Amino acid sequence: MRVLILCVDRDDDLGRKTSIKGPVVGEKAVQQAAISLLRKDPSETDANAMFAALKLLDEVKDEKEIAVLTGSAKVGYESDLKIKNQLEKVLERFNADGVILVSDGKEDELIAPVIESKVPIISISRITVHSGEELKGFYYTILSFLKRSSEDIEMAKLVFGIPGVIALTYAFLGTSGWRLLAGIIGFYLIIKGAGLEKWLNKFGEYVKTSFVSLSVSFFLYLLSLILAVVGVVRISKITGISALDTIAKSVYTSSANFLYSEILLTLGIAIDSWPDKKKVVQIIGMGVSLGVSILVLKSLSAWLIDPTYPLSYIITTTVLGSFVVIGIKLLNKFIQ
């Protein structure tokens, strides 16, 4: 079998940098062309592809020849036509039964249909050149990104905050903390999706101000957070026979924690909102609405766990809670 080992320089780096015109045919000619190209540009990957082709030439046992085809800086129709014409000249000198295409990237491999129109391609050998400069550039890019992230508060929350929460959760809870992590990430995505960042930032200012002044509200926030964390941890340990059963048990088990946490949180925000009476009533109204919702969910989850649980309890909780919420809403209208 007559094998042609072929390198394709589609954008003609060889011609532009060394003035060597294609086709370059023969071991000595290709070797000299590769050396000339490296002397002009040591980082040139086309020269590495030529040396790889020369190595392949030593390994192939069949009747063989090596050649380099060059295209044009105007990559496309013009360069591909030049390569086609050069290939025809090479095949006149060495009538190959097949080609081994040696490539340094996908761009040169785009010429494959042109080659196959003249001679079959037996295989394609792609050469990957490891560049220390590229790795060094990547290293400095990462350093620059981390530096910018540390200077930008919003980016720092994502780049450092979330991985920090994940690392701490795993450190304290081990593998059992993955469900908790999933819950934290889900909570964050809901906040982003619902556009609640401004509300959270405002709440953060409440907490910051209350901490600096060491007011009662700060301790209420702290106790609220502790109760909420305890509730989440309890949820992470719940298992059930089905997804619905797991959700029902999780809600029932942790509802008390979240209810007390919500009450303390509402009281803290109400204290920080004083003396704006209208705002205080609005906050209490939202807190009561959320508390009623938690109680209704607890009753509903109890019924899902135990079908003998009276439905009247759910109805009573819902109705009474609704009256309380409506009463607070009406009271808010009379407060100036």
Side-chain angles (χ1 to χ4, degrees), residues 59-97:
E59 297 172 354
V60 174
K61 303 301 180 184
D62 295 316
E63 189 177 351
K64 59 205 173 182
E65 183 58 281
I66 186 170
V68 178
L69 308 181
T70 59
S72 169
K74 296 180 180 179
V75 175
Y77 171 77
E78 184 177 327
S79 64
D80 294 351
L81 184 60
K82 285 186 176 181
I83 290 169
K84 176 178 175 292
N85 294 334
Q86 290 178 22
L87 178 60
E88 290 173 349
K89 292 180 181 178
V90 173
L91 292 176
E92 287 176 3
R93 294 176 55 179
F94 183 79
N95 188 19
D97 298 316

Side-chain angles (χ1 to χ4, degrees), residues 137-187:
F138 177 73
Y139 169 74
Y140 283 113
T141 300
I142 292 295
L143 281 184
S144 177
F145 171 73
L146 293 175
K147 184 178 179 181
R148 290 200 310 272
S149 298
S150 64
E151 294 171 352
D152 188 319
I153 295 176
E154 292 301 320
M155 285 186 68
K157 291 177 183 177
L158 292 173
V159 177
F160 301 111
I162 293 178
V165 170
I166 292 173
L168 280 175
T169 305
Y170 182 76
F172 285 112
L173 301 177
T175 54
S176 63
W178 290 117
R179 287 180 63 184
L180 177 59
L181 290 175
I184 293 172
I185 294 172
F187 181 68

